[in-house]
Amino acid sequence: MTTSVVSVTPETGVSEVARLLLERHISAVPVIQAEGGLVGMVSEGDFLRRTEGDGRLHGSWWLRLFSGPGESAAQYVKTHGRSAADVMTQDVITVTEDTPAGEIAHLLETKRIKRVPVLRDGRIVGIVSRADLLRGLAAQRDAPVASATVEDETIRKRILEEMSASDWAPTYGVSVMVAEGIVQIWGFVDSHEQGEALRVAAGNVPGVKGVELHVSNIPAHGWE
């Protein structure tokens, strides 16, 4: 999962959410309340429905008989609201840190979603996207699956702490995996120098046997 999660609050303005998606090259952002709980997600799809909608329900007249004014009012809020709380999707599918990768892949496919938040005690600690799953599969290309040990988890935690404390480190779009002392860093960076700094930071952590850097500059079209 990607642990550096960009988020907004329910009160964040719609224009600010749109700007954040464009600047960070992401297609969705979680909505988190002041207490830290996840209350929804705003995605590109929500904005598409906003631009396409006019606040009215369309379709056969007999279907509208069963929808009632409540559904029409909810649609109006989606297409005319000004805050993240107005346009967000509230029924968010989530997983935990222990959810198997295969189950996550099944969720993404069957629910037709691009990413899923990872929760711990009701609070978001990361996001797993389709790209994260592909990176994980690519990391297994040369060797059998290796189970992460307690030492590996300690190494990964120290690398993430170093990134969090550094003003040069990427704040999104980077995944760190450690197996048998080998660190693999996947994702996007702003520059070649930023990637090299990640390599050095990981290599300086005690217990690291090697660092494999699989990063590239952020593409103009964004990433999933």
Side-chain angles (χ1 to χ4, degrees):
M1 68 180 179
T2 298
T3 56
S4 300
V5 180
V6 179
S7 64
V8 298
T9 68
E11 296 77 27
T12 303
V14 168
S15 59
E16 175 66 15
V17 176
R19 183 189 63 78
L20 192 62
L21 295 182
L22 290 172
E23 290 184 354
R24 296 302 183 95
H25 304 278
I26 53 180
S27 59
V29 62
V31 183
I32 300 177
Q33 58 189 0
E35 297 77 12
L38 176 69
V39 293
M41 292 278 289
V42 178
S43 70
E44 292 173 334
D46 293 315
F47 281 100
L48 288 175
R49 286 189 290 273
R50 181 181 177 86
T51 57
E52 293 173 354
D54 58 7
R56 302 181 181 89
L57 289 175
H58 299 280
S60 302
W61 65 270
W62 61 273
L63 287 178
R64 293 198 295 271
L65 290 177
F66 293 98
S67 65
E71 186 173 351
S72 180
Q75 179 69 8
Y76 184 87
V77 171
K78 278 277 190 181
T79 56
H80 292 75
R82 291 187 166 187
S83 68
D86 293 330
V87 303
M88 70 182 184
T89 298
Q90 296 183 33
D91 298 326
V92 181
I93 297 171
T94 63
V95 298
T96 68
E97 295 168 288
D98 300 324
T99 304
E103 184 176 333
I104 295 176
H106 180 71
L107 277 175
L108 297 183
E109 178 66 22
T110 58
K111 300 299 183 179
R112 298 182 180 277
I113 53 180
K114 295 181 179 180
R115 88 290 304 158
V116 60
V118 183
L119 301 186
R120 180 198 302 156
D121 298 327
R123 295 175 178 268
I124 189 168
V125 293
I127 287 184
V128 177
S129 68
R130 294 180 180 182
D132 291 322
L133 291 177
L134 288 176
R135 292 169 195 148
L137 289 174
Q140 302 170 10
R141 67 197 185 284
D142 296 326
V145 177
S147 300
T149 64
V150 174
E151 183 179 0
D152 288 332
E153 291 297 330
T154 299
I155 291 174
R156 181 175 182 275
K157 180 180 180 181
R158 290 183 178 178
I159 293 173
L160 294 176
E161 288 174 347
E162 177 66 19
M163 291 172 57
S164 178
S166 302
D167 58 4
W168 53 261
T171 57
Y172 56 92
V174 172
S175 298
V176 178
M177 293 173 283
V178 184
E180 298 182 345
I182 303 298
V183 178
Q184 294 195 354
I185 302 177
W186 296 79
F188 296 108
V189 294
D190 294 321
S191 65
H192 171 75
E193 291 76 14
Q194 196 176 52
E196 288 304 303
L198 287 172
R199 184 198 302 275
V200 171
N204 285 338
V205 174
V208 171
K209 300 177 182 177
V211 179
E212 298 180 9
L213 202 59
H214 307 278
V215 298
S216 56
N217 288 354
I218 296 176
H221 56 77
W223 59 278
E224 294 296 335

